[in-house]
Amino acid sequence: MIFYSTRSKAHTADSTEAVLRGIAPDGGLYTPVDFDQMQIDVGALLNMSATEISATVIGRILNDFTPQEMRGLIDAAYDGKFETEDMTPLEKVGDDFVLELFRGPTSAFKDVALSVLPRLITAAKDKLGVKEEIVILTATSGDTGKAALEGFHDVPGTRIIVFYPDGGVSDVQKAQMVTQAGGNVGVCAVKGNFDDAQTGVKNIFADDQANGWAAQSGARLSSANSINIGRLAPQVAYYFKAYCDLVLRGEIRLGDPVNFVVPTGNFGDILAGEFARRMGLPVAKLVCASNANNVLTDFIKTGVYDRRREFYRTASPSMDILVSSNLERYLFLASGGDFDLVASLMAKLRENGVYTAPEALMNTMREHFSAGCADDARALQAIGRVWDEHGYLMDTHTAVGWAVLEGFKANEDNGWVNVVLSTASPYKFSRDVLSAISGRQPESGFGAMDMLHETTGVPVPERLAELRSKAARFTDVVEKDNMLEYVKDKLKKIG
Ligand SMILES: *Cc1c(COP(=O)(O)O)cnc(C)c1O
């Protein structure tokens, strides 16, 4: 399989190189174009376990790994890490379904991919005979950071530095990161928002000097953000898994299309759904759900992507994003691999903060995507309502999806079964969830965790409960313009 940079013909990679590099040298994102080679017979997955489905789906995308290698890698990656055997359980809530993706070690859906990525990277390194240490730089809106730290800590031949927006993550998210164990990990707050942190990291990757320092220290920079194709591939699998569950339970017949509602930030999770669709999964609509930072809602409706707007800090911080990186991959796919178009739109976004996509591309997009947004008030109401009516407790991100689903059903119901992707445990955002169901909002996130448990009886994930007794290891804070210097300093310490 050839992976193309989205920005120019000059940069292609096979799947191992794409995983190892993370981002193409021209700043583009490695993307496959030939989905004919990646078709999956859904019927053949029906009798498989969750890990077998994952190995099959991921192996079809990253096809430089043999099926045996992929099987071994996936089994080792997921072994004993998830609360349930089927990893991503599908719950019926009223007439609709919630796909619980948060049963992994850090209680957010990012675990599904970040359990696998370190193993993909080390396997790719071995295959390519790369000797350098891999230094992972990651910007996080809260959940990626912890899931990446958990995935990479003490993995030989790797090192990881996570940047998070100072004051932009929940108490629990921060505690998860700054207490991380491991000899090869670093965590640093950035004075700015997630977009600043993400831009800072992207700039470091594109900086010749930074790559030079890394080379001098016997290291190589790479990314664990969803710009890495190795992050995206594992997420494609759970769309197939959820579909199989619906068929096996008699909720749909094999071949019936399904709507997936996806709480969206960087457009990674929903793009994985588009990959699944292109690989042969019967998908009716992918519904892109945004919070008050509704740049994608406007884009899908109007074709104008305009980041020049107020940035809101919301109760769903992992979706507080105005520059959705993976949309670039979608523009590339939907334009039939038009490098020049993508490069020019991305240049406009960088220089002017706005671009307009061609009408034909938007028409293609609207055949398969729908969009909606819900602000905090609507999301929190949804949490309260779903708890009252169905006794089901959802987190603030999932609630954005649920509220958007309600709008979708009211305005453009197509009659097919709906699955809302649930991206985090309610206990990661206890204060807001508690306030949504009871009106109470104690000062501390951990106090809220206890009260939420007392009120609902829903079990607290063990790894979250034990956080409060752990000491913080990391206190660094940098200005957003000093991230490059910070990394340089860290690289020196490796050399
Ligand atoms: C990362 C994240 C999202 C957004 O996913 P994208 O792939 O960035 O669109 C939504 N919810 C939670 C809880 C997350 O951690």
Side-chain angles (χ1 to χ4, degrees):
M1 183 79 57
I2 302 174
F3 290 78
Y4 293 88
S5 162
T6 44
R7 297 190 191 177
S8 67
K9 243 196 179 90
H11 297 288
T12 59
D14 67 17
S15 57
T16 47
E17 289 169 316
V19 164
L20 210 50
R21 291 210 191 114
I23 190 164
D26 58 358
L29 307 185
Y30 289 116
T31 307
V33 287
D34 187 0
F35 283 77
D36 289 346
Q37 286 183 43
M38 295 199 279
Q39 291 305 299
I40 297 242
D41 170 10
V42 184
L45 303 180
L46 287 172
N47 297 318
M48 291 188 188
S49 69
T51 47
E52 285 168 334
I53 292 175
S54 291
T56 305
V57 172
I58 303 169
R60 202 58 59 84
I61 302 170
L62 306 176
N63 68 347
D64 296 295
F65 298 88
T66 66
Q68 291 82 344
E69 282 172 331
M70 192 54 85
R71 228 6 251 282
L73 200 148
I74 295 299
D75 282 344
Y78 289 140
D79 185 37
K81 278 204 186 159
F82 281 71
E83 284 172 31
T84 57
E85 182 76 22
D86 68 346
M87 287 177 53
T88 53
L90 188 67
E91 295 289 328
K92 191 160 191 180
V93 179
D95 296 331
D96 302 302
F97 293 85
V98 175
L99 177 60
E100 295 186 341
L101 303 174
F102 58 80
R103 299 288 181 186
T106 78
S107 302
F109 88 96
K110 309 275 198 305
D111 287 327
V112 176
L114 282 163
S115 302
V116 179
L117 185 67
R119 290 174 194 271
L120 288 174
I121 288 182
T122 38
K125 221 175 119 174
D126 290 347
K127 269 186 178 296
L128 297 172
V130 169
K131 295 280 181 283
E132 294 118 301
E133 183 165 52
I134 303 296
V135 178
I136 302 290
L137 301 181
T138 291
T140 183
S141 55
D143 293 324
T144 297
K146 176 60 182 180
L149 289 163
E150 197 54 43
F152 280 95
H153 79 87
D154 297 326
V155 173
T158 71
R159 196 162 277 275
I160 173 164
I161 303 173
V162 169
F163 293 99
Y164 70 92
D166 196 21
V169 300
S170 81
D171 294 353
V172 173
Q173 287 177 314
K174 182 174 171 188
Q176 283 186 301
M177 288 188 278
V178 300
T179 60
Q180 176 66 44
N184 64 339
V185 302
V187 177
C188 180
V190 177
K191 291 203 172 146
N193 60 33
F194 170 72
D195 289 317
D196 297 323
Q198 174 158 264
T199 304
V201 166
K202 279 194 190 167
N203 289 344
I204 296 172
F205 287 132
D207 189 288
D208 290 338
Q209 247 192 330
N211 286 297
W213 296 326
Q216 274 169 22
S217 319
R220 198 199 249 240
L221 302 177
S222 191
S223 164
N225 280 105
S226 53
I227 50 181
N228 192 317
I229 191 74
R231 257 294 291 283
L232 213 60
Q235 298 181 16
V236 180
Y238 50 67
Y239 285 89
F240 283 95
K241 171 71 171 55
Y243 189 92
C244 288
D245 285 345
L246 288 169
V247 174
L248 291 169
R249 292 193 209 167
E251 298 284 356
I252 60 170
R253 281 169 313 182
L254 186 61
D256 286 349
V258 168
N259 300 309
F260 290 96
V261 183
V262 190
T264 296
N266 229 348
F267 209 75
D269 203 4
I270 195 166
L271 185 73
E274 170 68 5
F275 271 48
R277 189 186 72 75
R278 287 179 180 246
M279 291 168 75
L281 189 71
V283 175
K285 277 276 161 80
L286 292 164
V287 183
C288 178
S290 300
N291 62 23
N293 296 296
N294 58 0
V295 61
L296 286 167
T297 320
D298 291 347
F299 175 66
I300 292 171
K301 295 202 165 134
T302 66
V304 179
Y305 193 101
D306 191 348
R307 63 164 297 189
R308 300 166 307 173
R309 59 179 71 207
E310 195 176 335
F311 175 88
Y312 298 101
R313 288 197 170 186
T314 73
S316 42
S318 302
M319 296 159 62
D320 290 347
I321 292 175
L322 292 179
V323 182
S324 299
S325 294
N326 273 294
L327 184 62
E328 175 168 352
R329 284 198 166 103
Y330 184 74
L331 297 172
F332 184 70
L333 289 176
S335 65
D338 189 338
F339 308 96
D340 295 337
L341 173 72
V342 176
S344 98
L345 296 182
M346 290 304 112
K348 283 184 185 144
L349 183 62
R350 205 167 45 244
E351 284 150 27
N352 313 326
V354 59
Y355 65 78
T356 304
E359 200 47 37
L361 190 158
M362 293 314 300
N363 289 337
T364 302
M365 186 168 198
R366 291 181 198 120
E367 276 173 39
H368 306 295
F369 286 79
S370 175
C373 56
D375 61 12
D376 281 353
R378 278 189 55 212
L380 297 181
Q381 278 163 15
I383 293 175
R385 207 166 43 246
V386 171
W387 174 249
D388 289 343
E389 289 173 13
H390 305 291
Y392 184 81
L393 192 65
M394 54 177 57
D395 98 293
T396 49
H397 302 75
T398 310
V400 170
W402 190 273
V404 168
L405 170 63
E406 289 173 340
F408 177 76
K409 289 207 294 190
N411 300 318
E412 41 181 317
D413 195 0
N414 54 21
W416 301 114
V417 161
N418 303 302
V419 177
V420 177
L421 275 60
S422 178
T423 49
S425 160
Y427 285 104
K428 264 194 125 160
F429 306 95
S430 298
R431 289 180 74 226
D432 287 314
V433 173
L434 178 70
S435 129
I437 64 164
S438 72
R440 292 180 297 170
Q441 194 172 47
E443 266 306 300
S444 105
F446 290 106
M449 200 183 269
D450 293 337
M451 286 168 75
L452 187 58
H453 176 60
E454 281 157 23
T455 310
T456 63
V458 174
V460 184
E462 221 171 284
R463 305 278 295 270
L464 294 185
E466 64 193 28
L467 273 178
R468 73 183 87 190
S469 56
K470 289 196 171 165
R473 298 181 60 207
F474 303 101
T475 51
D476 290 351
V477 185
V478 291
E479 298 293 333
K480 63 184 181 192
D481 296 329
N482 291 343
M483 290 170 62
L484 183 63
E485 277 302 309
Y486 183 84
V487 170
K488 180 180 177 185
D489 201 49
K490 293 282 169 193
L491 287 173
K492 273 204 216 124
K493 289 181 184 143
I494 299 175

